[in-house]
Amino acid sequence: MYRPGRVSPYSRFLNPFAVALAVIAGVVILAVATGLLIHFLAFDKKTYFYHSSFHILNVRYTDALSSPATQEYRNLSERIESMITRAFEESDLRSHFLRAHVVKLRQEGSGVVADVVMKFRYSRRNNGASMKSRIQSILQQMLSNSGNLEINSSNEVTSITGQDTENLFTQECGARADLLTLSEERILGGILVDEGEWPWQVSLQLNNVHHCGGVLISNSWVLTAAHCFRSYPNPQQWTATFGTSTIYPRRRVRIRTISAHRDYRPSTRENDIAVVQLERPVTFNRNIHRVCLPEATQSITPGSPAYVTGWGSLIYGGNSVSDLRQGQVRIISTDVCNAPAGYGGSVLPEMLCAGVPSGAVDACQGDSGGPLVQEDSRRLWFVVGIVSWGYQCGVPNHPGVYTRVTSYRDWIRQETGV
């Protein structure tokens, strides 16, 4: 009769030390594989920018297309951006396409040219010439199915650098850092401001000490409040500085002229608006460029968000701060602002209220002349108010009162040509 040999009781179990070593080895291998996969998927990819100009033959260029503040400009730009986005999202480059933005509409003949920047992300191992050819091919197919827009089919696609993209955006108005790179990440939030977040912010300094804020509306003109110069009208006493710090500015420029509104009335704060001309134009870059001006007809909706920025004091009667700060507020209707518990009728039609119900976020002394800005649907920023007056700072039912820029659009154009 067959009898099996004896089996050691230990042979039915694995050595615990061997198990531990096997587990550790497996974890290490998995970690390495995961790291390589992450590197391959994320770090092997790079962003690329392309530029193309679309000549639209059957849209007649008018003055309404000369400013990004008009609804006509927004509508046509958004239509072109949507058309490009749809073309790539329905193509084999859908996973590589990130965003398209019309940087500028300009006139060519009687038609319109849209200068467009497109952003893609793909592996460094992809052939650049091949990708450019595929992008061009998809755009050509798009043009053959562009609805009732008649677009010149000879447009070329050009590969450009990130710096080229910045240069294109900073020559136009209202772009913050997230738009300069066509990023989906937003930089709003917080109180202290990073360099370049509000590139149009100006410190107007009296004898080299911060006195008022201002906002850059061209390479030579700054918009601010008339009351800043009531006691100090001599431009030789004033300089404009750029950057987030009033102590260590990025640039300092003397003031050539001060033009305060001739009908400014200190008693009622009517027409509290002024423009100052710089002694020499500034060169626009990532950290210094202009805000957009609104059209006179631009709607400013009560309840909509806005941002006020400046170096004003943090408490009523306090000193100005040296580092730029920001605060998110909301537009408040004039009727609400003029309630008996508020300003009781002192807010006039050419003024604008903005704040929060608790009063916790507000402009204060030293913020005078600085900008109140809002973002439009295309992520461009417009100055809608100029810090003018208010009851102390941060008092409930007494929000900041701003000069309503839309009411003075023609005056600004007359004084500056902008």
Side-chain angles (χ1 to χ4, degrees), residues 16 90 127 149 229 262 268 297 302 307 321 375:
E90 294 174 353
N127 182 280
L149 285 182
F229 310 104
R262 70 171 79 181
T268 59
T297 56
Y307 274 80
V321 298
E375 186 182 29

Side-chain angles (χ1 to χ4, degrees), residues 78-94:
E78 288 176 345
R79 188 174 174 186
I80 294 166
E81 290 161 0
S82 296
M83 189 170 62
I84 295 171
T85 299
R86 186 170 58 252
F88 283 107
E89 287 181 347
E90 294 174 353
S91 74
D92 60 348
L93 291 185
R94 67 180 67 86

Side-chain angles (χ1 to χ4, degrees), residues 146-212:
S146 56
N148 58 1
L149 285 182
E150 184 183 338
I151 303 177
N152 191 334
S153 61
S154 63
N155 67 298
E156 287 190 23
V157 174
T158 306
S159 176
I160 59 175
T161 65
Q163 185 61 57
D164 294 332
T165 304
E166 279 190 18
N167 293 342
L168 286 170
F169 274 106
T170 54
Q171 295 312 303
E172 305 308 315
C173 69
R176 295 182 74 200
D178 51 359
L179 188 56
L180 295 183
T181 57
L182 292 182
S183 172
E184 293 301 328
E185 296 179 7
R186 312 312 304 276
I187 55 178
L188 296 177
I191 297 173
L192 290 174
V193 173
D194 290 332
E195 200 70 55
E197 279 195 60
W198 304 106
W200 37 79
Q201 180 76 43
V202 179
S203 167
L204 293 173
Q205 302 195 353
L206 179 65
N207 299 321
N208 295 321
V209 176
H210 173 77
H211 188 71
C212 274

Side-chain angles (χ1 to χ4, degrees), residues 329-376:
V329 292
R330 290 194 176 271
I331 303 299
I332 299 171
S333 73
T334 301
D335 288 344
V336 170
C337 208
N338 268 332
Y343 289 116
S346 297
V347 178
L348 303 177
E350 293 78 24
M351 300 175 185
L352 180 68
C353 292
V356 296
S358 67
V361 183
D362 195 9
C364 205
Q365 295 131 313
D367 288 323
S368 289
L372 178 74
V373 294
Q374 288 192 300
E375 186 182 29
D376 77 351

Side-chain angles (χ1 to χ4, degrees), residues 234-264:
N234 183 1
Q236 294 182 351
Q237 293 180 281
W238 292 86
T239 54
T241 70
F242 303 86
T244 59
S245 171
T246 57
I247 299 175
Y248 305 106
R250 283 187 166 266
R251 191 167 301 170
R252 185 184 297 273
V253 183
R254 290 186 177 277
I255 299 301
R256 173 176 291 171
T257 62
I258 298 170
S259 300
H261 199 290
R262 70 171 79 181
D263 295 325
Y264 166 59

Side-chain angles (χ1 to χ4, degrees), residues 4 12 26 63 105 124 158 160 180 182 196 217-218 261 337 342 393 399:
R12 289 175 293 174
D63 288 343
L105 296 178
R124 301 168 190 266
T158 306
I160 59 175
L180 295 183
L182 292 182
I217 59 171
S218 79
H261 199 290
C337 208
C393 309

